Each structure stands twice: as C-alpha cells, then as structure tokens.
Amino acid sequence: MLPWRRVLGPLTALLLTAAVALLPATTAHAAGAPSSGWNDYSCKPSATHPRPVVLVHGTFGNSVDNWLGLAPYLVHRDYCVFSLDYGQLDGVPFFHGLGPIDKSAQQLDAFVDKVLAATGAAKADLVGHSQGGMMPRHYLKFLGGAAEVNALVGIAPSNHGTTLAGLTNLLPYFPGIGHLLNEATPALAQQVAGSDFLTRLNAGGDTVPGVRYTVIATRYDEVVTPYRSQYLSGPNVHNVLLQDLCPVDLSEHLAIALIDRIAFHEVANALDPSRARPTTCASVFS
C-alpha cells in the first residue's frame, strides 16, 4: 500500500495553500473591512448595465476575500455588484463553500431573489470562481434559476469535477477517506470527478436554454484538473483559455480570480458583449 504521508501530503498542502493565500484578506474581513462599494442595496442598475452582478465565491472562500480585486473593478465600471456567503459549516468561520452543494444553490437562489427585489431588475448576471462557477448551474437547472439569470461567467469552475492532478484517483486505495470527506466537507467530495452530484448535474447536457455561459480557464490551474474539464458544451457557450489571450499570463487557480486584471477584462466582456473589447496582455492596464 502506498504510504499515507506521500499520498495525503500533497493534498493537504494544496488545501493549506488555498487557506493561507486568503488569510491576510480574511483578517481584514474579520475586522469589518468595507466592501469598497459593493453590496450596496441602494444601487440601481444603469441603462448601460441594466443587470446586477452577483459574485459567487469558491471553496474555502467568502463574500469579501474572494472579490477584493474583481468587485471594485466592476463597481468602477458602473455595475451594481453583490456577493454572498454560502456553504457555511458550524464552527468554521470565514472559510465557506464546504457544505452540500445543492443546499448552497438554495442559498444562492434566495440571495438572487433578494438582489432582484432591491434593484428592481428582472434578471441578474452571475460570476463565480471555482465551485462558485459550477454551483450556480444546479440553481439554473433544478431551482428555476434560468428565469432569473441572463449569464453565468465561471472563472476556473469545477464544472466536471477535479482529479487534483490525479490525487483523487488514489481515494479507492484508502477505505474511509471518501466517507470522511463526504461527512466532514460534503462540497469537497461532491467536486471529485465522477461524483454522484456531478453526474446528475451534467446529465442531459451542460447548459439550460436562455442563459449565456462563459468559462475562463488557465492552463496552470493546479486545483481543477485537468483544466479542460472546466469547459462547457452546448449552445450559448464561450470557453476561453487565459493563455490564448495573453501567452505570458502565469495565473493559477487562485490568482486568476483574485488579482488577474486580464481575466477581469474578459469577465467584463462576458457581462457586456455588445461593448466587448479585445482582451490582450495590455488589458492589465485597462
């Protein structure tokens, strides 16, 4: 049998890396840091941008830390921007997106209803990172979300699950680990490639009618692997590889959503395709 430390060490390191990368921002969140203009329920969408944008954080993320880069970027461009916390576990502060994904989709459903009521808009646009780019598809497909959503933009989304660079293929060799994951952190287990949740989500096609889909991926993603598993198939789908836009962009799974202004530019294009401008390496300065 393979040594436990050799197998679980990389997985543990990967999860800790995600947590540590978000830690400084989490400290600010705990201190009550302002959200720089988003989650303003007095905001009314403009004629130019008539739909509010709802940001959906990823696994281990939260409504502030995941969006300290992108939310102000969109607010500065005259969008009404909102973000939610979902998938909370009892006794686990700040690091969310860990609970059952179908329950998280119900939280998103309620939050979108709240945003639409506050803004008076008929539909919203969703932008999600990692699990946050995949989980809304449950809302769209099973909870009536297609009637309330115009577009879903997934940044490094776990649409077809992940092998964590092959590590999940080793789970059958360690009886009980999969059960532990499912009991302690359901969302992690549900994002393993081939899970029952993902099989049901993707059965009958990746998309639902009436919604535009954009996927923005990076070839250097070390969390949702292989990165091509992030792509969707179906009508009204636009799959984008970041390195096709800027070959020298080295962003991995976290950086693409946290700090990458090239990715941000492509998000803006997806939200307003009628005013889209080519995304290049120079978009970092836009």
Side-chain angles (χ1 to χ4, degrees):
M1 180 177 290
L2 292 172
W4 280 81
R5 183 174 298 178
R6 182 179 302 172
V7 175
L8 295 182
L11 177 59
T12 302
L14 185 59
L15 298 181
L16 288 176
T17 297
V20 170
L22 292 174
L23 190 57
T26 301
T27 303
H29 179 75
S35 56
S36 300
W38 81 91
N39 282 331
D40 175 4
Y41 285 89
S42 67
C43 185
K44 298 301 180 183
S46 66
T48 303
H49 298 138
R51 291 176 299 276
V53 177
V54 174
L55 303 177
V56 190
H57 65 73
T59 308
F60 294 109
N62 63 58
S63 61
V64 174
D65 301 337
N66 215 138
W67 306 117
L68 290 171
L70 181 58
Y73 181 95
L74 294 175
V75 168
H76 181 68
R77 284 153 180 79
D78 196 32
Y79 285 93
C80 292
V81 179
F82 302 86
S83 61
L84 78 157
D85 288 311
Y86 72 86
Q88 301 92 329
L89 294 179
D90 291 340
V92 182
F94 311 126
F95 301 110
H96 303 318
L98 297 170
I101 298 176
D102 57 329
K103 303 299 184 184
S104 295
Q106 293 174 19
Q107 292 179 272
L108 175 61
D109 187 3
F111 188 79
V112 171
D113 288 345
K114 178 182 177 181
V115 168
L116 294 181
T119 60
K123 290 188 175 185
D125 289 327
L126 308 180
V127 179
H129 174 226
S130 194
Q131 180 191 164
M134 174 274 290
M135 176 270 281
R137 295 178 48 228
H138 182 93
Y139 159 55
L140 298 178
K141 188 170 187 177
F142 299 115
L143 302 178
E148 301 176 329
V149 172
N150 169 71
L152 170 61
V153 183
I155 305 172
S158 52
N159 280 320
H160 298 96
T162 178
T163 68
L164 279 174
L167 287 176
T168 59
N169 295 329
L170 299 174
L171 289 177
Y173 293 94
F174 300 96
I177 291 296
H179 178 74
L180 178 62
L181 278 175
N182 190 60
E183 291 296 317
T185 54
L188 291 180
Q190 289 174 320
Q191 289 179 89
V192 173
S195 72
D196 290 344
F197 175 85
L198 289 170
T199 298
R200 180 170 180 258
L201 177 64
N202 294 314
D206 293 345
T207 63
V208 296
V211 179
R212 290 189 295 104
Y213 297 82
T214 301
V215 172
I216 304 172
T218 171
R219 70 169 71 252
Y220 302 113
D221 199 313
E222 77 285 28
V223 175
V224 182
T225 59
Y227 73 83
R228 290 183 181 85
S229 70
Q230 300 171 23
Y231 293 159
L232 295 173
S233 299
N236 297 319
V237 169
H238 181 47
N239 294 313
V240 180
L241 182 63
L242 198 58
Q243 285 72 35
D244 287 342
L245 306 176
C246 177
V248 298
D249 193 315
L250 300 179
S251 287
E252 40 66 70
H253 186 76
L254 291 176
I256 190 176
L258 294 176
I259 60 174
D260 194 316
R261 289 178 66 91
I262 297 169
F264 295 175
H265 189 274
E266 192 62 14
V267 169
N269 281 347
L271 294 174
D272 191 0
S274 66
R275 296 178 177 83
R277 293 175 293 133
T279 300
T280 68
C281 295
S283 298
V284 70
F285 302 110
S286 64

